[in-house]
C-alpha cells in the first residue's frame, strides 16, 4: 500500500483544541471490522460493549512537562522539547532556534535551568542539566510546559497539567499522552469493573515522533522512532488468565497495542513474554495481531503510522469509511477529540 491510501480531508474546525468538561462525555464510533459497519455512541457506553471476563490493557506512562523556553548563551531565542530521558541529568531533545547551538553551548532556560549542548544525535540534540535542579526530570516537573501537540494552536494552561494526563498515569517518561486513556475517569473505570472486566497495565513512553507523518509513498522505507516499552510478568499472566476464561484482550490505545505486540514479536516462540526495551515496531495492513482482540482509540492524523495500525486491525476499507463518516458527522479529532471502539476485520485479529 501507499502512504496516500491513508489520507483524508479534515476541516480544521474539527481538530479539538481543548478537552470536554467531562472525560467520558466524548462521542464514540463503534466499528465492527468483520462486518464493515459502524454506529454512533458515547464513551460512557463502553461498559456495554465489554463482556464479563474481558481484560482492558492501559498504558500507565506519565507525560513530563517537557517543553522549555529561553535563550542561547549567544543571545538567540530557543525552545527545547525533551524526546526521551537518558539518565538523571541528560536527555535527547528537539531544539528550535534560528541557528542550531554548537557543541559546548549553554541554553539558559526558564526557572534558572541551564542545559549544556553535549552533541548531536541525527536531527536531535543531547543536552545535559548543569543548573536548575537535582535531576533533569525534577527541573522539568518544576518549570516545564506540557508538550501539547503541534495541531493544538494555543499555549498550554494549568488545566493541561491534569487533562493532558490519564487518571492512571504513574511512570514518568512520555512527551505525548496516550490519548485514548484521556477518556477514562474513575466513574467509567468503576462501571467497567462492575461489568466483570479486569484491567492490566503496560508502559510505553510516547515520543514526539508519534505526530510525524510518513514521508514518501513507500511504507517499507519508513523508519520508526524508538520508544521505551515494558510489559510485566503480571500483565502477561493476566492475559494468559483472560485467554483461559475465554475473555478478550482490549487495548486502550495504539500505544498499548504496540507494547503488547512488540513483546510478542520479541519472544523467540512468538508467545507473549515479559519484555522491557526499545521498540520500533511499525504495524501496517497485512500484519497478524498476536495478542489484541479489540481496540479503543482516538482518531489519528492523516498519513500517520497510528492510522496505519488502526487500518491493519480493522481493515483499510472499513476504517477509512468510518473516518469519512466521522468527518461528515462532526466528530472531534486527535488528542482531545472523540474515540472509536474497534473489533478486528475478518482474519485481522489475533493470530492462531
Amino acid at each position: 500500500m501507499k502512504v496516500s491510501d491513508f489520507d483524508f480531508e479534515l476541516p480544521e474546525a474539527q481538530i479539538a483544541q481543548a478537552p470536554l468538561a467531562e472525560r467520558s462525555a466524548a462521542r464514540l464510533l463503534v466499528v465492527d471490522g468483520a462486518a464493515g459497519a459502524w454506529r454512533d455512541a458515547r464513551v460512557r457506553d463502553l461498559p456495554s460493549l465489554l463482556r464479563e471476563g474481558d481484560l482492558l490493557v492501559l498504558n500507565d506512562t506519565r507525560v513530563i512537562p517537557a517543553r522549555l523556553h529561553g535563550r542561547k548563551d549567544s543571545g538567540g531565542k530557543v525552545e527545547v522539547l525533551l524526546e526521551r530521558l537518558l539518565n538523571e541529568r541528560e536527555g535527547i531533545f528537539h531544539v528550535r532556534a534560528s541557528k542550531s547551538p554548537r557543541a559546548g553551548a549553554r541554553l539558559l532556560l526558564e526557572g534558572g535551568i541551564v542545559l549544556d549542548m553535549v552533541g548531536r544525535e541525527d536531527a536531535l540534540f543531547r543536552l545535559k542539566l548543569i543548573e536548575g535542579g537535582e535531576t533533569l526530570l525534577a527541573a522539568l516537573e518544576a518549570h516545564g510546559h506540557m508538550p501539547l501537540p503541534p495541531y493544538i494552536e494555543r499555549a498550554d494552561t494549568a488545566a493541561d497539567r491534569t487533562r493532558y494526563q490519564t487518571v492512571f498515569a504513574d511512570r514518568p517518561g512520555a512527551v505525548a499522552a496516550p490519548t485514548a486513556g484521556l477518556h477514562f475517569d474513575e466513574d467509567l473505570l468503576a462501571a467497567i469493573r462492575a461489568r466483570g472486566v479486569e484491567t492490566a497495565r503496560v508502559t510505553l513512553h510516547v515520543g514526539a515522533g508519534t505526530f510525524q507523518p510518513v514521508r514518501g509513498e513507500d511504507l517499507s522505507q519508513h523508519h520508526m522512532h524508538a520508544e521505551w516499552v515494558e510489559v510485566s510478568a503480571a500483565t502477561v499472566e493476566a492475559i494468559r488468565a483472560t485467554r483461559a476464561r475465554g475473555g478478550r484482550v482490549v487495548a486502550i490505545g495504539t500505544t498499548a497495542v504496540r507494547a503488547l505486540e512488540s513483546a510478542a514479536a520479541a519472544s523467540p516462540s512468538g508467545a507473549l513474554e515479559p519484555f522491557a526495551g526499545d521498540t520500533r515496531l511499525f504495524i501496517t495492513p497485512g500484519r497478524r495481531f498476536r495478542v489484541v482482540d479489540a481496540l479503543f482509540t482516538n482518531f489519528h492524523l492523516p498519513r500517520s503510522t497510528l492510522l496505519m495500525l488502526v487500518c491493519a486491525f480493522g481493515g483499510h476499507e472499513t476504517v477509512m469509511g468510518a473516518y469519512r463518516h466521522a468527518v461528515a458527522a462532526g466528530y472531534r479529532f486527535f488528542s482531545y477529540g472523540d474515540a472509536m471502539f474497534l473489533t478486528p476485520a475478518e482474519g485481522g485479529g489475533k493470530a492462531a
Side-chain angles (χ1 to χ4, degrees):
M1 301 190 76
K2 299 180 295 185
V3 173
S4 55
D5 293 325
F6 302 91
D7 211 350
F8 63 93
E9 294 294 327
L10 178 68
E12 193 171 324
Q14 286 177 245
I15 300 174
Q17 296 296 309
L20 298 176
E22 296 181 49
R23 289 179 183 264
S24 60
R27 298 173 71 183
L28 180 67
L29 188 61
V30 181
V31 180
D32 184 333
W38 50 81
R39 62 182 176 87
D40 301 306
R42 293 278 173 181
V43 168
R44 292 193 185 103
D45 299 324
L46 178 60
S48 69
L49 303 173
L50 303 174
R51 307 168 188 162
E52 183 177 356
D54 284 350
L55 179 72
L56 258 61
V57 180
L58 312 170
N59 183 3
D60 65 1
T61 188
R62 184 173 184 81
V63 181
I64 299 170
R67 181 174 278 120
L68 290 165
H69 305 93
R71 61 181 178 84
K72 296 181 288 185
D73 55 5
S74 59
K77 290 183 179 180
V78 67
E79 176 187 295
V80 301
L81 173 65
L82 179 71
E83 173 67 22
R84 62 192 303 179
L85 291 166
L86 295 175
N87 53 55
E88 285 195 343
R89 304 192 70 83
E90 292 184 313
I92 301 298
F93 285 79
H94 303 260
V95 176
R96 292 180 59 185
S98 58
K99 187 176 181 180
S100 295
R102 67 191 185 282
R106 294 203 166 178
L107 308 183
L108 314 176
L109 305 167
E110 298 160 283
I113 295 171
V114 179
L115 300 180
D116 183 57
M117 216 291 273
V118 177
R120 296 289 295 265
E121 298 215 359
D122 297 322
L124 304 180
F125 296 79
R126 183 168 183 152
L127 303 179
K128 181 176 182 179
L129 179 69
I130 301 300
E131 298 177 20
E134 291 188 7
T135 67
L136 181 54
L137 179 59
L140 288 167
E141 290 284 0
H143 302 291
H145 297 268
M146 288 301 275
L148 296 181
Y151 45 74
I152 294 182
E153 297 177 344
R154 61 175 176 83
D156 67 306
T157 67
D160 292 309
R161 283 258 179 164
T162 300
R163 292 306 305 274
Y164 195 61
Q165 198 81 267
T166 67
V167 298
F168 42 81
D170 182 53
R171 306 182 69 185
V175 297
T179 56
L182 299 180
H183 295 288
F184 289 77
D185 53 30
E186 295 300 341
D187 287 344
L188 181 60
L189 289 169
I192 288 167
R193 288 192 294 268
R195 185 80 173 174
V197 175
E198 297 181 2
T199 60
R201 298 188 177 198
V202 295
T203 304
L204 185 147
H205 291 322
V206 191
T210 191
F211 303 116
Q212 296 300 314
V214 178
R215 306 192 188 281
E217 277 294 295
D218 186 353
L219 299 186
S220 67
Q221 298 304 305
H222 180 69
H223 298 287
M224 289 286 287
H225 59 290
E227 293 172 312
W228 190 84
V229 167
E230 183 171 351
V231 178
S232 69
T235 292
V236 171
E237 181 53 39
I239 290 170
R240 287 174 180 162
T242 300
R243 293 273 179 259
R245 63 177 177 258
R248 298 175 300 174
V249 175
V250 181
I252 304 304
T254 57
T255 61
V257 174
R258 291 187 66 237
L260 293 171
E261 298 295 330
S262 293
S267 169
S269 68
L272 183 66
E273 299 288 345
F275 174 77
D278 284 346
T279 182
R280 294 179 179 268
L281 182 63
F282 182 21
I283 296 176
T284 56
R287 183 183 182 87
R288 296 283 290 179
F289 289 78
R290 300 181 182 182
V291 184
V292 177
D293 301 303
L295 170 62
F296 178 96
T297 183
N298 276 27
F299 291 95
H300 301 292
L301 291 164
R303 306 171 72 95
S304 66
T305 61
L306 304 184
L307 178 54
M308 293 169 192
L309 182 156
V310 176
C311 287
F313 190 79
H316 177 265
E317 184 177 344
T318 295
V319 169
M320 297 307 293
Y323 265 60
R324 289 190 292 272
H325 167 79
V327 172
Y331 276 68
R332 301 164 72 248
F333 274 66
F334 308 155
S335 294
Y336 276 145
D338 296 317
M340 171 188 289
F341 180 78
L342 182 65
T343 52
E346 192 68 37
K350 178 174 55 56

